[in-house]
Amino acid sequence: MIANLVALAAEEEQNPLVPPGPELLVGTIAFAIVFFFFWKKLLPNINKVLEERRAAIEGGIEEADAMKVEAQSVLEQYKAQLAEARHEAARLRQEAQEQGAALIAEMRAEGQRQREEIVTAGHAQIEADRKAAASALRQDVGKLATELAGKLVGESLEDHARQSRVIDRFLDELEEKAEATR
């Protein structure tokens, strides 16, 4: 059979670019069936899938745009809250500085008041100590002066009231002379 085909093919000199008539008819019918099948069955499915894909892509783009707008809105809110927080922090810092300054001024005033009290108490104590020392000194000077006068006169000067008056008068005169020279 192969030999017959080879012989038959050799007998006919046929143009390889032009198929025989029956083959051309069968090929055209087969192409029409396949084309019809593709056109009726596959082409709608392919168009449907492409349309779904296009809708999904467009929906994704719209969703991405919406998310971008929302993200921009959230970013603006965040920036506004951040600016408000910074403003609040600056206000609190200012209040703290003012309270600190007021507290420092109050503490200085309190320290000044306590210093004045201490100085006043010190002056009062010094004055009391000076008076006590002057009184003790008067007594000691009076006693020494009486003893010295007694030794000079050769008699004992025992009258205590008179002694005090003489000593006080003498010391008062000395103080007046000292103040006059100042």
Side-chain angles (χ1 to χ4, degrees):
M1 179 151 121
I2 295 180
N4 284 339
L5 286 174
V6 171
L8 190 65
E11 288 177 7
E12 291 182 23
E13 291 259 346
Q14 196 175 356
N15 187 357
L17 295 177
V18 179
E23 237 182 79
L24 187 59
L25 182 63
V26 171
T28 304
I29 292 172
F31 177 76
I33 291 171
V34 169
F35 180 74
F36 182 73
F37 174 74
F38 277 131
W39 186 56
K40 284 293 187 184
K41 296 289 182 186
L42 291 179
L43 192 60
N45 287 340
I46 290 172
N47 284 338
K48 180 182 172 187
V49 168
L50 288 175
E51 187 62 33
E52 288 174 358
R53 195 166 191 198
R54 185 186 60 76
I57 289 172
E58 286 177 0
I61 290 172
E62 289 173 1
E63 186 177 328
D65 287 342
M67 290 179 82
K68 183 178 177 182
V69 168
E70 183 180 343
Q72 189 67 26
S73 171
V74 169
L75 179 63
E76 292 300 323
Q77 288 176 353
Y78 169 73
K79 286 181 180 179
Q81 288 175 349
L82 184 61
E84 184 178 329
R86 284 183 179 153
H87 178 70
E88 182 68 18
R91 185 185 63 79
L92 290 174
R93 188 172 35 252
Q94 181 66 24
E95 285 180 10
Q97 287 175 346
E98 290 171 0
Q99 288 175 354
L103 186 60
I104 288 171
E106 182 180 318
M107 295 304 284
R108 279 187 182 154
E110 178 66 21
Q112 187 70 18
R113 185 189 60 79
Q114 288 178 355
R115 185 183 71 82
E116 292 297 324
E117 286 178 1
I118 291 171
V119 168
T120 303
H123 285 304
Q125 182 66 37
I126 289 171
E127 185 62 29
D129 289 346
R130 187 188 67 76
K131 286 182 181 179
S135 174
L137 184 62
R138 277 180 183 247
Q139 288 176 0
D140 290 344
V141 167
K143 191 178 198 186
L144 290 174
T146 305
E147 287 176 11
L148 182 62
K151 286 182 183 178
L152 287 177
V153 174
E155 290 180 24
S156 173
L157 302 173
E158 290 294 324
D159 186 11
H160 195 38
R162 190 181 332 153
Q163 265 181 3
S164 292
R165 283 193 308 266
V166 169
I167 292 170
D168 286 340
R169 194 173 358 144
F170 176 72
L171 290 177
D172 287 339
E173 287 175 9
L174 283 178
E175 284 178 3
E176 287 176 7
K177 286 180 184 177
E179 286 180 6
T181 58
R182 284 187 196 167

